[in-house]
């Protein structure tokens, strides 16, 4: 790796740490109903999937299923999500939000938007779009083996 690439990586890591730590802290402090950031993100993923499974959540979070199961159990015990077995394959379990889960998620989503949106006011729309597109591209590359598209 050349020096320039090392500088870019270090700058990225420095900015990433500042942004994620501060945004996560602000989100944690603003989310109602005692949700953790991970619980909010789990609800967000469940909300975006018609048939959500714990396997999908574990892959999305890049963690083991046991870690996801612990969070799912807490969300279920709190009445935010429910499990439904597939009628044709009883081993398959789908996760969905209850009404309480949906209202809690929607309130948390609104609070997250209120925390994050003021930062975007410091940038032009085209810069925001370019940043988001590049960040999404980085995310897609990170999902590919070896970090490159074939």
């Amino acid at each position: 790796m050349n020096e320039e690439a090392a500088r870019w990586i270090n700058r990225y890591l420095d900015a990433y740490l500042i942004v994620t730590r501060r945004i996560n802290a602000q989100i944690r402090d603003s989310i109602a109903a005692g949700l953790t950031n991970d619980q909010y993100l789990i609800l967000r993923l469940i909300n975006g999937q018609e048939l959500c499974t714990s396997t999908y959540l574990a892959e999305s979070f890049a963690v083991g299923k046991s870690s996801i199961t612990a969070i799912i159990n807490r969300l279920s015990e709190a009445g935010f999500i429910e499990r439904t077995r597939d009628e044709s394959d009883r081993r398959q379990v789908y996760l969905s939000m209850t009404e309480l889960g949906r209202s809690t998620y929607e309130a948390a989503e609104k609070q997250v938007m209120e925390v994050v949106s003021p930062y975007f006011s410091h940038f032009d729309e085209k810069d925001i779009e370019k940043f988001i597109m590049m960040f999404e591209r980085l995310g897609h590359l990170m999902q590919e083996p070896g970090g490159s598209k074939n």
Side-chain angles (χ1 to χ4, degrees), residues 73-101:
N73 287 342
R74 285 191 291 280
L75 289 169
S76 178
E77 289 165 8
F80 294 145
I81 65 169
E82 59 189 4
R83 295 173 169 103
T84 307
R85 292 203 179 274
D86 187 305
E87 290 299 320
S88 60
D89 182 356
R90 303 290 292 163
R91 296 169 297 174
Q92 186 70 273
V93 177
Y94 299 112
L95 306 167
S96 59
M97 278 193 268
T98 63
E99 285 303 315
L100 174 62

Side-chain angles (χ1 to χ4, degrees), residues 6-149:
R7 277 195 306 276
W8 290 337
I9 291 168
N10 285 325
R11 286 177 60 195
Y12 166 78
L13 291 173
D14 291 344
Y16 169 82
L17 287 173
I18 291 169
V19 170
T20 56
R21 284 181 176 259
R22 296 207 180 176
I23 286 291
N24 284 340
Q26 289 177 12
I27 288 171
R28 181 186 61 242
D29 293 343
S30 72
I31 291 179
L35 285 179
T36 66
N37 286 5
D38 284 348
Q39 289 171 334
Y40 161 72
L41 292 172
I42 292 288
L43 290 178
R44 189 170 193 280
L45 288 171
I46 291 172
N47 186 62
Q49 292 292 307
E50 187 174 333
L51 297 173
C52 188
T53 65
S54 58
T55 300
Y56 169 77
L57 296 174
E59 289 171 359
S60 296
F61 268 69
V63 298
K65 281 184 69 174
S66 61
S67 298
I68 293 299
T69 300
I71 297 171
I72 290 169
N73 287 342
R74 285 191 291 280
L75 289 169
S76 178
E77 289 165 8
F80 294 145
I81 65 169
E82 59 189 4
R83 295 173 169 103
T84 307
R85 292 203 179 274
D86 187 305
E87 290 299 320
S88 60
D89 182 356
R90 303 290 292 163
R91 296 169 297 174
Q92 186 70 273
V93 177
Y94 299 112
L95 306 167
S96 59
M97 278 193 268
T98 63
E99 285 303 315
L100 174 62
R102 183 158 313 284
S103 64
T104 301
Y105 165 73
E106 288 171 357
E109 182 79 352
K110 182 179 181 213
Q111 291 168 316
V112 168
M113 295 298 164
E114 289 173 5
V115 166
V116 176
S117 63
Y119 295 104
F120 285 101
S121 68
H122 297 278
F123 301 94
D124 293 334
E125 188 173 325
K126 67 178 182 150
D127 291 335
I128 295 169
E129 179 67 24
K130 185 174 182 177
F131 169 76
I132 298 296
M133 287 177 60
M134 292 174 67
F135 206 67
E136 288 171 340
R137 183 174 175 196
L138 180 61
H140 292 300
L141 286 170
M142 289 184 166
Q143 291 175 329
E144 298 295 324
S148 62
K149 291 201 173 223

